Amino acid sequence: MSIQFGLDTFGDVTRGQDGELLSQAQTIRNVVAQAELAESIGIDFFGVGEHHRPDFAISAPEMVLAAIAARTDSIRLGTAVTVLSSDDPVRVYERFATLDAVSSGRAEIVVGRGSFVESFALFGHDLRDYEALFEEKLELLVELVKEQPVTWSGTMRPALDGADVFPKTENGMPIWVGVGGSPESVMRVARHGVGLMLAIIGGSAGRFAPFVELYHRSVASYGTQAHPIVVHSPGHVGETDDDAWDEAYPGFEAMHETIGRERGWPAYSRARFQNEVGPAGAVYSGSPERVAAKIADTIRTLGVGRFDLKYANGTLSHEAMMRSIELYGTEVIPRVKRLLADD
């Protein structure tokens, strides 16, 4: 199986050379430049997340992806993720089908329930409907991407009776669902016959092997279509281990401290960071050799079809991210391919 390699970002608001936080507008422009670099060095996929809070600049990911589409030719474009629970499936389909048109067929829909909940109140949804909203809206979106008139009814939005939506894509459009690791979520993905993206942001990749097995068993049981599994994990590449870790740690600390104050997490520490970049952790950071070995081990362990490195983490500077992207594309990926070829 041919393995693909991607990059994901949430558009984290970063610090400039003077140490001050950049504007959200400049952060978005930097994301477009990062995507241009990614294509120039052969990255297969570029994903941007949707958030509605001050530390992440991207609230309308399809707009950013359209800007990237205008400056690139081949890299596939998607989200990581679109918060489907607080959006409307018809509008999601229409926006992505439009993106697919302007990018000449490079759009992928990657949806999730959302690990942040600001969008629910913002768009008038009750958090008590968290599960029901996602289940119903995913069901409808799966029908819409078949690009045939849809008759559907549920409890979370008005029914559709023979509704046709436009524009149509030229060659169809894939859907992936981002999953944090619950069996129910994995089985839902299999039942709908769409792709599974495993968000591995804590612990070793090996602990997700049962979910991969469950996905394949469930696909066989439901008689739906199996798709290559995608893994999404954070990381940062430097010239050496120490370079990467010294660059990355302040951004990880800032991100965890900001979110931790809201969620009651304990204080972040360098010791915790070093544990996460080790074999038992979910952070892929270090020299190209170290990161390549860890990615190759994950691909072997889980049998995934694509690995997405979440390269933006906290306030890490644009310049450091650009160098990390360059090392990922020119040194890490070729090493991973050689390691897997040796197998």
Side-chain angles (χ1 to χ4, degrees):
M1 181 175 62
S2 176
I3 309 299
Q4 295 188 333
F5 297 88
L7 289 166
D8 293 336
T9 176
F10 295 166
D12 307 54
V13 176
T14 61
R15 296 193 181 278
Q17 295 294 323
D18 59 0
E20 296 298 316
L21 288 174
L22 300 179
S23 68
Q24 293 182 333
Q26 184 60 53
T27 298
I28 291 172
R29 291 191 288 269
N30 287 347
V31 168
V32 175
Q34 291 154 16
E36 289 184 87
L37 173 61
E39 174 170 90
S40 73
I41 54 177
I43 305 298
D44 298 299
F45 173 84
F46 193 84
V48 299
E50 174 196 349
H51 294 83
H52 303 268
R53 43 185 294 127
D55 42 339
F56 300 117
I58 300 173
S59 60
E62 300 90 349
M63 293 290 291
V64 179
L65 292 170
I68 294 168
R71 300 191 185 189
T72 56
D73 297 305
S74 60
I75 193 167
R76 295 195 63 81
L77 304 170
T79 42
V81 297
T82 293
V83 185
L84 184 61
S85 306
S86 56
D87 211 328
D88 184 86
V90 174
R91 295 296 291 151
V92 169
Y93 168 83
E94 290 176 337
R95 295 196 303 265
F96 273 93
T98 303
L99 173 65
D100 197 66
V102 299
S103 66
S104 299
R106 292 185 279 141
E108 297 184 9
I109 305 177
V110 187
V111 299
R113 293 181 297 177
S115 58
F116 294 87
V117 298
E118 290 84 2
S119 64
F120 288 80
L122 191 62
F123 299 119
H125 296 288
D126 193 328
L127 268 177
R128 290 174 294 185
D129 297 327
Y130 185 81
E131 289 287 346
L133 281 165
F134 186 73
E135 179 59 58
E136 279 200 5
K137 292 184 177 186
L138 179 61
E139 178 184 86
L140 176 54
L141 183 62
V142 169
E143 291 302 311
L144 291 166
V145 297
K146 295 175 183 177
E147 302 193 331
Q148 299 294 326
V150 173
T151 297
W152 177 93
S153 63
T155 61
M156 296 291 135
R157 75 174 309 282
L160 298 176
D161 184 10
D164 214 357
V165 292
F166 307 97
K168 306 296 185 186
T169 65
E170 293 173 317
N171 296 293
M173 188 165 49
I175 300 178
W176 308 88
V177 178
V179 170
S182 74
E184 295 79 11
S185 295
V186 172
M187 293 176 68
R188 177 194 291 126
V189 173
R191 186 174 72 252
H192 286 295
V194 295
L196 173 66
M197 173 184 276
L198 287 172
I200 302 179
I201 58 176
S204 68
R207 74 185 185 92
F208 285 79
F211 298 111
V212 173
E213 296 169 8
L214 176 61
Y215 172 74
H216 290 300
R217 289 201 310 271
S218 299
V219 164
S221 175
Y222 292 125
T224 52
Q225 181 181 356
H227 299 270
I229 293 171
V230 177
V231 162
H232 155 107
S233 288
H236 176 69
V237 190
E239 302 286 352
T240 67
D241 288 343
D242 287 340
D243 287 343
W245 298 338
D246 289 345
E247 282 183 342
Y249 175 70
F252 273 85
E253 181 185 43
M255 177 177 60
H256 280 266
E257 290 300 308
T258 297
I259 300 171
R261 283 193 295 270
E262 302 169 4
R263 302 186 180 182
W265 293 351
Y268 198 65
S269 68
R270 185 64 184 252
R272 178 179 168 186
F273 173 78
Q274 293 300 149
N275 182 67
E276 290 179 337
V277 302
V283 177
Y284 293 71
S285 182
S287 66
E289 295 86 352
R290 178 182 290 271
V291 174
K294 192 168 182 177
I295 292 174
D297 184 63
T298 295
I299 292 171
R300 292 188 195 105
T301 300
L302 301 180
V304 301
R306 190 175 82 210
F307 180 90
D308 286 358
L309 183 74
K310 180 182 172 288
Y311 69 92
N313 299 284
T315 53
L316 182 68
S317 73
H318 170 61
E319 292 74 19
M321 285 191 281
M322 292 287 273
R323 182 58 179 151
S324 178
I325 291 170
E326 183 179 4
L327 290 170
Y328 178 65
T330 62
E331 297 194 29
V332 173
I333 292 174
R335 280 184 167 88
V336 174
K337 290 180 177 179
R338 288 196 296 269
L339 289 168
L340 297 176
D342 289 344
D343 293 342

